[in-house]
Amino acid sequence: MKRDILVSVCMSTYNHEEYIEEALNSVLEQECDFEYEIILSNDQSSDNTHAVITKYIENHPKGNKVRYYNQPKNLGINDNLIFTLEQAKGKYIALLEGDDYWTDSKKLQKQYVFLENNSDYTICTAAYATDIPGEGYRIIKHEEEVDGVTYTFNKLVGIRSHYLNMFFVRKALEIDRLKTFSYSGDNVIFIMCLANGKGYFFNQVFGYRREHPNGAWSSKSLIERLKMSIEQFIGLYKFTEYKNAVRPILFYYYADLIGFGDKQKSYGYNAFKMIRTWKEFLYFIKKIGNSLYQSNK
């Protein structure tokens, strides 16, 4: 008898002809005792990504696991993600972009077992390594020697969401709300899921994230990345149930943009309005000082 699909791996790709095979291989090489599917959406790539994918599916013995969609027009990073989420059949969803890949063949199995055995959790993620051209690899994990870390909705500062390793209960995510964001990255998804349960961070490297000139994230400067992140939290802050939980993170993002000498005065004003503790006040003063120093150079 055909078993039900329990995990949907949602993959977005755009101009990833050099990387998409390795990404797909890292999924199809997973060792699982459950059924899973791959939902792959190509956002009208202008390179040979489509040809690479179709050839791969035709020739790979597990190619039938891939539900492939070649979009007739460019949806954009947010809508392309949402499209894959809306096609998902599984109880759980795992995320992976076409230029990243997993390195642990039991990645899905570990995360599936954890959430199956811990019903008060709705999401888990893990450490990863970044492939930095000209610099080698950098591992992004907790410094302390722990097996894992639990996150809760009321203590969000310091969370590590890590898109390429995110694995969550499908029903914990409000997809319609994602449509209100111009960019609903990993932080939005993570916090939405945390509103419905706890989150867990495996302090193990499950995958590699590439930095390359065409990457949606890696191609951006540090200030541009901060602004992309802050847009996620601004979007969450508009919803009453997320407001109090998101405020501390939003404060630190606003303040950090001041520290980098950003010329938009509204960041300083918004950071000041959000101060609630002496620690935040002192951090704000420090960033103002940094900004003045940068402007007087």
Side-chain angles (χ1 to χ4, degrees), residues 28 84 101 120 153 184 187 202 219 262 282 289:
L28 292 177
T84 64
Y101 60 100
D120 53 334
F153 181 67
S184 60
N187 290 317
F202 287 86
S219 63
D262 193 280
L282 292 174

Side-chain angles (χ1 to χ4, degrees), residues 6-274:
L6 291 176
V7 175
S8 297
V9 180
C10 293
M11 296 182 66
S12 303
T13 187
Y14 176 73
N15 287 355
H16 293 153
E17 63 174 312
E18 297 179 48
Y19 314 118
I20 190 63
E21 280 195 51
E22 189 166 19
L24 285 166
N25 279 334
S26 74
V27 180
L28 292 177
E29 290 171 0
Q30 289 291 302
E31 300 171 19
C32 308
D33 61 9
F34 53 83
E35 286 295 321
Y36 68 91
E37 64 176 351
I38 299 172
I39 301 165
L40 175 59
S41 180
N42 178 18
D43 199 16
Q44 202 186 43
S45 295
S46 58
D47 64 1
N48 292 317
T49 298
H50 173 64
V52 172
I53 292 172
T54 52
K55 183 178 180 181
Y56 181 93
I57 293 173
E58 289 172 3
N59 295 324
H60 197 284
K62 295 182 181 178
N64 63 326
K65 282 186 174 290
V66 184
R67 292 167 56 198
Y68 175 52
Y69 301 88
N70 186 31
Q71 299 297 342
K73 65 177 183 178
N74 184 269
L75 300 176
I77 188 170
N78 196 56
D79 287 347
N80 197 37
L81 165 64
I82 290 170
F83 176 86
T84 64
L85 295 172
E86 289 182 326
Q87 314 311 311
K89 297 178 180 178
K91 177 181 178 181
Y92 301 105
I93 289 176
L95 300 180
L96 183 66
E97 292 184 311
D99 53 349
D100 299 329
Y101 60 100
W102 297 331
T103 52
D104 189 328
S105 62
K106 296 186 182 297
K107 183 257 188 201
L108 290 181
Q109 182 70 26
K110 291 176 181 178
Q111 294 181 301
Y112 171 80
V113 169
F114 181 85
L115 290 187
E116 281 286 287
N117 292 337
N118 296 276
S119 59
D120 53 334
Y121 286 74
T122 55
I123 188 167
C124 56
T125 186
Y128 67 90
T130 300
D131 183 352
I132 307 171
E135 297 182 27
Y137 298 94
R138 183 178 68 220
I139 294 177
I140 311 297
K141 64 186 298 188
H142 280 274
E143 294 179 5
E144 62 268 28
E145 292 302 315
V146 295
D147 292 330
V149 178
T150 289
Y151 299 119
T152 59
F153 181 67
N154 294 317
K155 193 176 181 181
L156 297 178
V157 174
I159 62 169
R160 296 171 181 262
S161 46
H162 300 345
Y163 188 100
L164 82 158
N165 284 324
M166 288 175 68
F167 186 101
F168 54 90
V169 177
R170 178 165 60 91
K171 291 183 178 179
L173 184 66
E174 297 182 65
I175 295 177
D176 285 341
R177 284 195 169 180
L178 292 185
K179 296 176 181 178
T180 68
F181 292 78
S182 57
Y183 172 64
S184 60
D186 46 9
N187 290 317
V188 172
I189 295 171
F190 201 80
I191 290 170
M192 281 188 176
C193 289
L194 281 183
N196 294 294
K198 292 187 286 189
Y200 186 76
F201 179 87
F202 287 86
N203 202 29
Q204 309 167 33
V205 173
F206 281 175
Y208 274 59
R209 183 176 67 82
R210 283 192 177 88
E211 289 200 358
H212 59 92
N214 297 320
W217 178 260
S218 58
S219 63
K220 302 294 190 296
S221 68
L222 184 54
I223 288 181
E224 287 174 326
R225 292 180 186 183
L226 281 170
K227 289 180 178 179
M228 287 175 71
S229 295
I230 207 171
E231 285 301 319
Q232 297 179 56
F233 291 109
I234 289 171
L236 286 166
Y237 193 71
K238 294 175 182 176
F239 294 99
T240 303
E241 60 267 49
Y242 303 130
K243 207 176 189 74
N244 290 334
V246 166
R247 184 209 59 81
I249 299 181
L250 196 50
F251 161 76
Y252 282 109
Y253 271 113
Y254 278 136
D256 283 345
L257 282 167
I258 299 169
F260 280 106
D262 193 280
K263 301 303 181 184
Q264 295 191 38
K265 295 181 181 180
S266 61
Y267 289 130
Y269 176 69
N270 288 330
F272 181 76
K273 287 197 305 179
M274 290 188 167

